[in-house]
Amino acid sequence: MTSKEMLSTYETLSELTGTMLSAAREGEWEHLATLEQRCRGYVGSLMEAPSVPLSAQEQRAKVAIIRTILQNDAEIRALTEPHMHALQQRLQMTRQGQRGMAAYGAQRV
């Protein structure tokens, strides 16, 4: 991977996290999950790529892009955490209901 390809991949990640943020703001959770899978692919390719020397200008650009990605990620987390908490509560209630039904069903036999 060349330095231009690496910066292009970071730019794509930045745009993708921006789209993810929009999806989170709109409550489009399934779309957000799909975008997150795409994001993982780009991150994986960056992690697997050998280290590439960067000029000072390229390094500054990379740092600026990463800051944007991290800001988007923080906002996404702030928006998704309440939704995840609500889902966890629903799952817990469902499990409790299933245990109650199992206990009640066992007593009826």
Side-chain angles (χ1 to χ4, degrees):
M1 179 180 284
T2 66
S3 61
K4 289 189 187 314
E5 291 170 330
M6 183 187 64
L7 288 174
S8 176
T9 302
Y10 276 106
E11 279 289 343
T12 300
L13 269 171
S14 179
E15 292 169 10
L16 190 54
T17 60
T19 305
M20 290 170 66
L21 180 55
S22 294
R25 285 178 177 154
E26 297 297 320
E28 297 173 356
W29 307 119
E30 288 183 32
H31 185 55
L32 177 62
T34 301
L35 293 169
E36 199 250 343
Q37 290 297 323
R38 287 180 52 200
C39 191
R40 284 184 188 175
Y42 286 105
V43 170
S45 69
L46 287 169
M47 292 179 74
E48 291 174 3
S51 182
V52 178
L54 300 174
S55 69
Q57 181 181 357
E58 290 171 327
Q59 186 65 34
R60 284 190 299 274
K62 178 182 170 185
V63 169
I65 295 166
I66 290 172
R67 283 188 178 138
T68 300
I69 292 169
L70 292 174
Q71 287 173 332
N72 289 342
D73 182 63
E75 288 185 55
I76 292 165
R77 287 178 190 271
L79 292 166
T80 58
E81 284 178 5
H83 179 68
M84 293 300 292
H85 181 70
L87 286 175
Q88 287 173 340
Q89 286 182 322
R90 287 183 196 162
L91 285 172
Q92 185 178 9
M93 289 174 29
T94 300
R95 287 185 196 123
Q96 288 173 346
Q98 288 173 342
R99 284 193 298 265
M101 293 297 289
Y104 177 73
Q107 289 179 356
R108 292 187 74 197
V109 176

